Amino acid sequence: MGKSQKKRAMRRHNPMRVPDSHLPKGLESIASSSKNEAILPIVQKMESPDGAERKWACVAVSNLIQNDPSTRRLLQGKNIVGSLITRLSDSEEEVWVEAAGALRNLCIDGGYDICAEMYNKNILAPLKTFVPKISAALSQFLESPKTAPENAQKVVYEFADNAITVLWCLSETSNKALNAINQINLVPFLMSFLASREKLPVSTVTAAAQCLYVLTDDNQPAIDDVRSNAAYTSCLLDVVRAEANVAEGKSKATLDERSSMCKVLTCGILGNVSPLPPPSATSAIDITKDVTLPLLQPVISSLSLVDVSNAVQELVGNQNSEPPQLEKLSLKNTPKTDHKTTTEVELERLESRLRTVQLALEILTGACAMLPDPVSEPAGEEEDVIDEAEYEDVEIGDSPEDAMALDSSTPNGNTDTRPTSLLPALVQPLLALIQPTALSFPPPSGASIHPPTTSALSAIHISALQCLNNIFLSLGASPNPELAADLESGRNVWQEVWSALGKVGIQIERGQERKQDMWEVAVGVLWGIGNIWKGSFPPTEEQVKVIIQFCEGSTDSTIRVKCIGTLECLAHHGPSIDANRTIASYLLSLLPTSSSQSPIGTEPLIQAVSALIDIYSDESAPYDVNFRQGKFEDRLADSVDGVKKAVRAIDRRKERDLRMRGEEVRDNLVAFVRYRRELQL
């Protein structure tokens, strides 16, 4: 099992602010919605010859779609995306400024589908024309700030924020959109905002940092653009250092959330483009060790999720203002995009703090992965072809005793070349962030009282678990006797993870997919912890039952491998003979027989065989009585031919690593059965 990766192969980040699954009633109400007729005036005014009406329509869309998927879908059905894109070329400045704001909100609240629709309807054509215009206005304001009125500057900065955010969301939608955006050459444009950060609104600078962070995430053209200019990397380091110096002298509570977000984003950009190229002075810096870990640890430690949850509940309970209602909108009652109540501002501030922590966790997860690049085959070089017949007629007694190399089946065999001394310090704040609050997972019977908070909280829990997953796999890859001897710490971590899962529960219904995500990541964390302190935790009957149940309920081979690995670690607890028997019986049920195939996939099968070998490699263990009394040796022998067949079926060219692993486990199984028979216990 590998580590949680920040990089994405197909779809990248999900730009959706609040997934539709958090708003089930909104989706279910589309068919019967009475809003269908009410939105027609908005659509009609979008094409009005009166500029004031066109502006009104754009602002109305911008306000009405937030956290309301039913209205959003209805407007989509009326081609609102196409209409707003057309308005980007409007003859009146106020109209295309508001159209950009509406498109921005659609991107953030609508996610992939709307972003894909925008790309297919050629939104990049007008957006491209705005980049040089914004650059020219920005240069003018910076050189001669008194030549433009403050209101004009405000409009340009807000428009830049909207345009950049749309480009950010589009670049996360698909590789096709990302490749098209690469052609615009945005890096110099975005870096200009960071370079002039002290003279610009922090929200606009943060939008530029967000876009650059996404563009440099596993996207070589943008990475090369940043790395090729020493001034860019120097600027990025200045941003991080300047923010860090300010932070040291102030209370965390007084830090502006957007400034903190900008610092975190810049830290992520540096991680994306590292190592920094020589011969610059910055090339000697180890970004992970010297920047990422020390800077982001205070960020993830700065927030109590329980306090935020309680504050949101209180704010929502006291909220007197109502969201914009379609029937109340008129040209005399034009909605204001920038008018928010004190409660709304505070709710947004709290959400911003949550999103900053979420982003910091995402960056830390990537930093803690520390995986080397895969080694590719030299072009044109033929693989050695192994004669499959070599294993066709191997008898149990034919393998030499010294051929048996018992496989310990650690989750990750990579050698970590970076120091892991900083990683344990992250564990305690991460454990606090995995604990669900009252708003994290609302019951299926009712929607969240504040969907943005629920969305952010559940994302934080999962991101913190992903980070823990990578930390324990990194620690496990570099054996540390001192750490393994610290059983108290191990038990605390183990109990904290189970405590979080207990609050999540195993009843997962429609609209609660994030609970499923929690379990899938958490099982990997349990496996990582279990390997460091193997056999140190007495398994409870409920724990064994739940993991087996989760393994049985999943169709994902990777999840099943995690579950089997965790069960193996539990089975090593010497005094827990009954639990060992339950686990072994389950693992044996996954093996093929002389007359039937394995009921699970090939990779979980290989893991199950490896686990059984590892569990019973020490015949002096107290639980070995289960092996002898249950005649496990005969059951393993009966599985040999089926295991060989399963390994032969692995395509060596498509799944080389799995094939090599399978061949190793197959050989170990043959040798292990022979070894146990020779013991004659």
Side-chain angles (χ1 to χ4, degrees):
M1 182 195 72
K3 299 179 182 178
S4 298
Q5 297 294 304
K6 180 171 68 67
K7 297 178 180 179
R8 283 80 171 165
M10 293 296 291
R11 283 183 167 180
R12 303 165 66 80
H13 307 259
N14 185 350
M16 184 183 293
R17 179 184 180 216
V18 182
D20 284 343
S21 61
H22 287 85
L23 304 151
K25 290 185 177 179
L27 291 177
E28 291 167 0
S29 66
I30 290 178
S32 60
S33 176
S34 60
K35 297 177 181 178
N36 204 0
E37 294 182 6
I39 67 170
L40 288 176
I42 296 175
V43 176
Q44 292 168 352
K45 286 182 174 61
M46 193 73 70
E47 310 295 332
S48 170
D50 185 343
E53 290 192 343
R54 298 198 301 274
K55 175 188 174 183
W56 177 89
C58 292
V59 177
V61 171
S62 187
N63 279 271
L64 292 170
I65 60 168
Q66 295 190 48
N67 302 327
D68 188 349
S70 64
T71 301
R72 188 173 69 233
R73 297 286 177 87
L74 286 170
L75 286 166
Q76 272 187 274
K78 304 297 183 182
N79 190 33
I80 199 65
V81 170
S83 297
L84 286 169
I85 292 175
T86 300
R87 297 278 69 80
L88 288 177
S89 303
D90 199 276
S91 58
E92 297 194 22
E93 179 182 286
E94 287 188 341
V95 176
W96 47 261
V97 167
E98 294 298 347
L103 287 165
R104 171 192 182 276
N105 288 351
L106 278 169
C107 279
I108 292 178
D109 277 15
Y112 290 128
D113 292 341
I114 284 183
C115 290
E117 184 182 350
M118 289 181 188
Y119 174 75
N120 292 334
K121 291 182 176 177
N122 202 25
I123 192 176
L124 287 181
L127 284 181
K128 281 189 225 178
T129 67
F130 291 133
V131 172
K133 292 179 181 177
I134 294 171
S135 293
L138 181 66
S139 298
Q140 179 185 347
F141 294 161
L142 293 176
E143 293 173 7
S144 306
K146 296 181 180 179
T147 59
E150 185 177 341
N151 185 58
Q153 293 187 42
K154 182 174 181 288
V155 169
V156 171
Y157 295 145
E158 288 183 355
F159 180 73
D161 188 332
N162 292 335
I164 291 170
T165 302
V166 173
L167 287 167
W168 146 41
C169 292
L170 287 174
S171 66
E172 293 182 315
T173 304
S174 68
N175 286 333
K176 183 186 292 185
L178 178 65
N179 291 334
I181 290 172
N182 281 337
Q183 303 304 312
I184 304 177
N185 191 26
L186 285 176
V187 170
F189 172 69
L190 298 172
M191 282 301 309
S192 68
F193 287 89
L194 290 169
S196 305
R197 61 193 177 279
E198 295 179 357
K199 301 176 182 178
L200 299 174
V202 66
S203 59
T204 308
V205 176
T206 301
Q210 177 72 72
C211 191
L212 189 59
Y213 170 64
V214 171
L215 285 177
T216 55
D217 179 14
D218 197 23
N219 178 32
Q220 203 59 46
I223 292 172
D224 291 341
D225 284 347
V226 175
R227 297 179 85 240
S228 65
N229 192 322
Y232 291 168
T233 54
S234 178
C235 173
L236 293 171
L237 283 169
D238 286 344
V239 173
V240 171
R241 288 166 175 163
E243 291 290 344
N245 291 336
V246 171
E248 288 171 4
K250 291 187 177 182
S251 167
K252 292 173 184 175
T254 65
L255 291 177
D256 181 87
E257 278 70 35
R258 287 176 296 183
S259 295
S260 180
M261 172 67 87
C262 191
K263 177 189 71 173
V264 173
L265 286 165
T266 307
C267 191
I269 296 166
L270 285 166
N272 289 343
V273 303
S274 67
L276 304 181
S280 68
T282 60
S283 60
I285 298 175
D286 184 326
I287 296 299
T288 298
K289 178 175 175 291
D290 300 329
V291 178
T292 304
L293 294 180
L295 276 173
L296 297 190
Q297 181 183 343
V299 175
I300 67 170
S301 306
S302 66
L303 195 63
S304 165
L305 299 188
V306 173
D307 288 349
V308 172
S309 178
N310 292 339
V312 169
Q313 291 181 81
E314 183 176 349
L315 285 166
V316 173
N318 296 333
Q319 194 170 20
N320 296 319
S321 62
E322 297 180 357
Q325 299 295 317
L326 284 165
E327 59 271 15
K328 294 182 180 179
L329 297 181
S330 68
L331 288 177
K332 294 181 180 179
N333 184 24
T334 303
K336 303 293 184 182
T337 55
D338 59 349
H339 179 69
K340 296 181 176 68
T341 65
T342 303
T343 298
E344 289 171 333
V345 170
E346 181 62 13
L347 286 170
E348 286 193 0
R349 188 187 72 81
L350 291 172
E351 182 190 354
S352 178
R353 294 191 69 189
L354 292 174
R355 295 297 182 186
T356 300
V357 171
Q358 179 193 347
L359 176 64
L361 290 170
E362 178 184 311
I363 295 168
L364 284 170
T365 296
C368 293
M370 303 185 203
L371 294 177
D373 293 331
V375 179
S376 57
E377 290 277 325
E381 198 170 295
E382 294 291 331
E383 287 185 325
D384 294 333
V385 177
I386 298 178
D387 184 3
E388 299 294 351
E390 173 183 352
Y391 295 101
E392 286 292 328
D393 302 316
V394 176
E395 298 294 336
I396 294 297
D398 289 344
S399 298
E401 184 171 346
D402 60 1
M404 184 179 68
L406 296 180
D407 179 20
S408 63
S409 181
T410 55
N412 182 2
N414 295 296
T415 301
D416 180 13
T417 59
R418 298 188 181 186
T420 57
S421 58
L422 291 173
L423 298 185
L426 294 173
V427 171
Q428 204 56 47
L430 289 171
L431 290 174
L433 294 176
I434 69 172
Q435 300 298 329
T437 73
L439 293 183
S440 299
F441 302 104
S445 57
S448 169
I449 63 169
H450 192 247
T453 297
T454 290
S455 175
L457 285 170
S458 59
I460 285 174
H461 301 322
I462 294 165
S463 295
L465 281 169
Q466 289 172 331
C467 199
L468 283 170
N469 178 73
N470 287 1
I471 285 175
F472 284 111
L473 292 183
S474 290
L475 294 173
S478 303
N480 185 330
E482 183 178 349
L483 180 64
D486 188 0
L487 294 182
E488 183 177 352
S489 294
R491 290 192 192 97
N492 176 61
V493 175
W494 181 261
Q495 291 168 0
E496 287 290 310
V497 176
W498 277 108
S499 173
L501 291 174
K503 295 171 185 174
V504 172
I506 58 175
Q507 299 299 322
I508 301 172
E509 301 184 35
R510 181 172 174 265
Q512 296 186 309
E513 291 78 8
R514 300 299 270 172
K515 283 188 174 184
Q516 181 78 14
D517 295 340
M518 276 279 286
W519 272 98
E520 290 180 356
V521 181
V523 172
V525 178
L526 292 172
W527 187 12
I529 299 168
N531 266 286
I532 294 174
W533 291 281
K534 185 173 286 187
S536 300
F537 311 130
T540 68
E541 182 180 350
E542 182 64 20
Q543 289 172 351
V544 173
K545 178 182 176 183
V546 166
I547 296 175
I548 290 176
Q549 179 181 335
F550 191 65
C551 186
E552 285 291 286
S554 177
T555 57
D556 187 310
S557 291
T558 301
I559 302 303
R560 286 183 155 182
V561 167
K562 292 180 184 180
C563 292
I564 292 168
T566 304
L567 289 170
E568 175 197 337
C569 295
L570 290 174
H572 274 276
H573 189 255
S576 301
I577 296 175
D578 290 342
N580 176 279
R581 184 186 308 111
T582 300
I583 293 170
S585 298
Y586 175 64
L587 296 180
L588 288 168
S589 74
L590 304 179
L591 272 52
T593 67
S594 55
S595 59
S596 64
Q597 296 181 340
S598 169
I600 57 172
T602 303
E603 190 173 2
L605 166 62
I606 292 171
Q607 188 65 41
V609 173
S610 176
L612 286 163
I613 294 172
D614 195 37
I615 292 168
Y616 295 109
S617 60
D618 180 7
E619 64 275 8
S620 65
Y623 51 70
D624 196 70
V625 62
N626 293 328
F627 188 93
R628 300 191 296 271
Q629 292 180 353
K631 298 184 178 180
F632 292 172
E633 169 192 306
D634 293 340
R635 179 66 184 87
L636 288 169
D638 189 41
S639 73
V640 170
D641 288 341
V643 172
K644 290 179 182 177
K645 184 176 180 181
V647 172
R648 283 198 303 271
I650 302 172
D651 190 318
R652 190 189 306 277
R653 289 172 176 78
K654 294 181 180 179
E655 298 181 284
R656 181 179 180 182
D657 290 344
L658 181 60
R659 177 61 181 260
M660 292 174 64
R661 166 104 167 114
E663 290 171 351
E664 178 187 11
V665 171
R666 171 201 62 198
D667 295 349
N668 287 346
L669 175 61
V670 172
F672 179 70
V673 173
R674 179 176 182 272
Y675 171 74
R676 291 296 310 212
R677 283 183 172 174
E678 288 180 350
L679 288 176
Q680 296 183 345
L681 296 177

